Each structure stands twice: as C-alpha cells, then as structure tokens.
Amino acid sequence: MYPEDELLPISGLQHLRFCERRWSLVHLEQQWEENRFTSEGGVLHERVHDGGIEARPGIVVARGLYLWSRRLGLGGIADVVEYHRDDSGVALAGRPGTWRPYPVEYKRGQRKWEPSHMVQLCAQAMCLEEMLSVEISAGAVFHGVTRRRTEVRFDTALRGETEALARRMHELNRARVTPPAAYSKKCESCSLYDRCLPRAVSKDVERYWARALREMDPV
C-alpha cells in the first residue's frame, strides 16, 4: 500500500503506455509542448469537469471526481463517472436503490482503439473498486471529434497491464532518470517531438556505442 503523499497521477499511465521517455519528460523534467490537439483536449476536459452532478431516469452523472488507489499508488480526477441503477451496486447518498459506477474518459480525437486510453480508464475503474468495494466490468472512452463512445471491458489482461504500468511508473519515479530516446513511427505524432528529438538522440547513442566498440577492439 502506498501512502497518500506517494500517489502518482492516473493520467501518467497514458504517457507511460505510449513511451517511457515521454512520461519522464513530462513528469520528471516538467516539460510539456502544447499543440492544437493537446490544447483542444485540455479545453474538452475543462468543460467536462465544470459540469457537476446531474440525474436522469436510471442514471446519475458525476463530473470531476477525485479517485485514488493506495494499492496501485495512483490518484487523479475522473472526467465522468456515471452511476447506473443496479441491484448489486452501491448506495448513493440521498438516492434510493443501488448504483454501479461506469467511468467515462473524454478524448478529443476520432474513434479508435487506443491502448493508452484503455489503460487510463481501467485504472480509474480499479480506483473506484477500491474506494467503493464494488466490481466494475466496463467503462467507455468518449471521442470528441465523432461524439461517439467506445466501450472498454476491464478483463484480466487489461487489469494486469494496468497494474504492471503502475508499478513501472513508481520505479521510474524513484529512479529519477529519463530513459534515452529510441525513434519509432509513433514519435511523429508526439507533442514532445521537438523537445525529445528522438532521431538526433538515437543517432548520438548509436555513434557513441560504435566508437566505444571500436576502442575496445584490439585489432
């Protein structure tokens, strides 16, 4: 169990799932580069978090809830948690019956199957499970461009990956060392490309090892 002052941001899992160097640049070195996509995403999240609580027949919608898990060592703000009427759910103050939480994460992009979003959403569900002592089998990612949802099932594989990433994030946080760059195709879509410089750094590392090997070669 992690103490409260060692909880790391749930949102960091998305960066870590994409790239360990990206996570380190953002969370260890406090570097961030805004572009049109990150700015639009920030505006979308601000609008969602300002919504408060609303109720409709059979559903209660809460926005901007703080979630935590001492077991995973995570904490952060959920975009939306819907509570659906369910006989095996949990009680809500001032409302009859029982309700099952259903987390919804808002993303600005088009509808697509993005593993980093799934991990972030699964972590929110696991936080809610720990906080409320209830099982949550699914949630959804809402896509701002298409205004459609993709449902995510929290199966054993996704839960295992989420736990492993949470452990890895704490390892990197304790080490306080930014991993070296390793260029791949996904680097082109990263907002930190100009700060990371993966092509240049990767070439520098290759040249270093090539020179080191030549110096070690007695021939």
Side-chain angles (χ1 to χ4, degrees), residues 14 105 107 114-122 141 143:
Q14 177 185 348
E105 175 68 17
K107 299 298 182 184
E114 176 53 64
S116 63
H117 299 170
M118 295 164 60
V119 165
Q120 184 178 358
L121 185 67
C122 184
V141 177
H143 308 274

Side-chain angles (χ1 to χ4, degrees), residues 51-56 59-63 80-83 106 149:
I53 297 176
E54 65 176 278
R56 302 192 295 270
I59 183 172
V60 175
V61 180
R63 296 180 171 87
V80 169
V81 178
E82 297 177 350
Y83 294 88
Y106 277 58
R149 288 184 175 192

Side-chain angles (χ1 to χ4, degrees), residues 18-19 21-22 25 179-207:
F18 182 82
C19 170
R21 181 172 171 83
R22 176 186 172 91
L25 289 173
Y183 178 80
S184 66
K185 185 177 181 180
K186 66 183 180 182
C187 294
E188 302 294 337
S189 63
C190 180
S191 63
L192 290 177
Y193 184 92
D194 291 338
R195 292 179 181 266
C196 177
L197 299 174
R199 286 183 182 273
V201 174
S202 296
K203 289 179 180 178
D204 287 343
V205 172
E206 290 175 2
R207 284 195 291 267

Side-chain angles (χ1 to χ4, degrees), residues 60-131:
V60 175
V61 180
R63 296 180 171 87
L65 290 180
Y66 178 73
L67 308 180
W68 53 264
S69 168
R70 294 288 181 85
R71 185 175 69 85
L72 297 176
L74 300 175
I77 304 296
D79 289 339
V80 169
V81 178
E82 297 177 350
Y83 294 88
H84 299 195
R85 283 295 297 267
D86 188 309
D87 291 339
S88 58
V90 296
L92 293 181
R95 301 187 186 278
T98 56
W99 307 75
R100 186 168 301 277
Y102 186 90
V104 181
E105 175 68 17
Y106 277 58
K107 299 298 182 184
R108 67 151 301 280
Q110 299 186 26
R111 190 177 187 184
K112 63 178 181 179
W113 203 250
E114 176 53 64
S116 63
H117 299 170
M118 295 164 60
V119 165
Q120 184 178 358
L121 185 67
C122 184
Q124 294 176 15
M126 295 172 77
C127 287
L128 285 163
E129 289 178 332
E130 183 174 326
M131 294 167 62

